[in-house]
Amino acid sequence: MKILAIETSCDETAIAILECSGDEKNAQFRVLGNTLLSQIDIHKEYGGVFPALAKREHAKNLVPILESTLEEAELLHEDTQALSEETRAEIATILSREPGLAGAFFDFITECEPPSIDAIAVTTGPGLEPALWVGVNFARALSLVWNKPVVAVNHMEGHIMAALARRSESGGGTSEEDILEIKDVEMPVLALLISGGHTELVLMKEWLQYELIGATRDDAVGEAFDKVARMLDLPYPGGPEISRLAELARSVESSVPGSRGAPSSDEGAPRDSILGIKLPRPMLHDASCDFSFAGLKTAVLNLLKTRVDITAVEKQHLAREFEDAVAEVLMKKTSRALEETTATTLVLGGGVSANTHIRRVFTHFEDTRCPHVTLRIPAAALTTDNAIMIGLAGFYHAARGDFTDLASLKASGNAHLAP
Ligand code: KG4
Ligand code: ZN
């Protein structure tokens, strides 16, 4: 089964084409084409994603990206296609709210054969609703002209599947690099999903059945990273910048024996560091599996108010302390959730799972304290938003015949994976 996947939930416009085989328990995916266009440089000057701009960029980029992805997949065959007046009018209505997209769409679609794909998978939420709609309407228009069914994919489910996917060791294709597989997944799976808009612990008891175990009560982790980075005058997105500074501080600290105080796990009684930068670990001892990061962010703000000029070294130590606080809370809550759910597979997913320190803390935890739990972390290229992850999740739904009719296909900014 060939799936064309579309992702436009935030500031990445992405399309991928996957050839999927096997079944839920043992699935293989050959990546035939994959294009990702990041808008980071455009949003940087606003210090965050500007929804109207994201929407405009998606509308501008989708057709060129579709063309190049089909070409890469060797599925682009030029041929003049006639469109009935009725279809034209229907598509014009579907794309009426995406400026510029209809013109490019008609030009492209009337000059190529319908490609040999079996389904279209598209992110319908969660995310920025105006951005999501561009992808959803594009998928509806393609579905109409090419007569292909559409799978509605939850973005967070995509992050889970990306973490479960591993590069195939057996290969079997011309390029081993491009074959992924999802197999040997032991249920239940506990997923810690950490991204710009989400921080949640979700349990997958069976394939595609989810239960919410814990969630942030205020800011998402990625949001906290981005806001703290802004306070430190670091560019958007802040996560990678904080990580870079924190790693610098750690490399210096590790070369100075005894330079740091012993870690403390007490909320309100944080550790000392050589620069005396101390941050709280919010809700560490709370009995739930919920999180809170707003207080941590405010603690950074208050700390910065007490320093007129923060030096480069202090910034590094602050970044390190912030990361330590986040990682400690994430680890503690996940560990609690593992105990409560008796999950045997732990997934780390979402953009923040790219974080070197968080990956290190979780890997260490698996190695030392939880050998009975298998940790699955996405490959670097699949960590932040992409369309491959949407194709992976799309396969599981398409294999069950779980398609959505065009009239009910909608974008939903705050779609939930689990009740
Ligand atoms: O999943 P994602 O690409 O988009 C959303 O669905 O939100 O996640 C983006 C978030 C941003 O907040 C970004 O700062 C954060 O992931 N991020 C990181 C790192 N790389 C990206 N946070 C911490 N460390 C990183 N290395
Ligand atoms: Zn994401």
Side-chain angles (χ1 to χ4, degrees), residues 217-229:
R217 296 189 182 167
D218 39 57
D219 290 358
V221 185
E223 192 181 350
F225 265 98
D226 294 338
K227 285 178 178 167
V228 166

Side-chain angles (χ1 to χ4, degrees), residues 3 5-7 18 121-123 153-155 158-159 386-395:
I3 296 185
I6 303 166
E7 156 66 35
L18 307 185
V122 64
T123 308
V153 174
N154 181 294
H155 182 84
H159 278 304
N386 63 83
I388 293 178
M389 70 185 208
I390 303 308
L392 299 175
F395 167 71

Side-chain angles (χ1 to χ4, degrees), residues 59-70:
K60 189 172 90 189
N61 295 329
L62 275 172
V63 170
I65 285 185
L66 174 65
E67 188 170 355
S68 60
T69 314
L70 285 170

Side-chain angles (χ1 to χ4, degrees), residues 7 9-10 12 126 155-156 159 194-198 349-351 383-386 389:
E7 156 66 35
S9 71
C10 192
E12 257 98 27
H155 182 84
M156 304 317 286
H159 278 304
I194 40 179
S195 68
H198 287 80
T383 303
T384 48
D385 294 349
N386 63 83
M389 70 185 208

Side-chain angles (χ1 to χ4, degrees), residues 1-5 16-20 117-121 391 394-395 398:
M1 174 194 305
K2 285 199 195 89
I3 296 185
L4 181 133
I17 301 171
L18 307 185
E19 182 162 14
C20 319
I117 57 163
D118 301 286
I120 299 166
F395 167 71

Side-chain angles (χ1 to χ4, degrees), residues 279-302:
L279 293 172
R281 272 72 174 147
M283 289 181 72
L284 195 68
H285 299 300
D286 171 88
S288 75
C289 291
D290 287 346
F291 308 89
S292 163
F293 293 102
L296 179 58
K297 178 192 69 186
T298 309
V300 175
L301 189 66
N302 291 338

Side-chain angles (χ1 to χ4, degrees), residues 235-298:
Y236 175 85
E241 291 293 321
I242 298 257
S243 173
R244 189 176 56 78
L245 294 190
E247 288 298 303
L248 279 175
R250 283 191 194 96
S251 67
V252 173
E253 282 167 358
S254 65
S255 64
V256 182
S259 63
R260 282 173 60 188
S264 150
S265 293
D266 283 334
E267 190 174 354
R271 64 161 53 127
D272 286 326
S273 83
I274 47 173
L275 293 174
I277 294 172
K278 307 161 186 174
L279 293 172
R281 272 72 174 147
M283 289 181 72
L284 195 68
H285 299 300
D286 171 88
S288 75
C289 291
D290 287 346
F291 308 89
S292 163
F293 293 102
L296 179 58
K297 178 192 69 186
T298 309

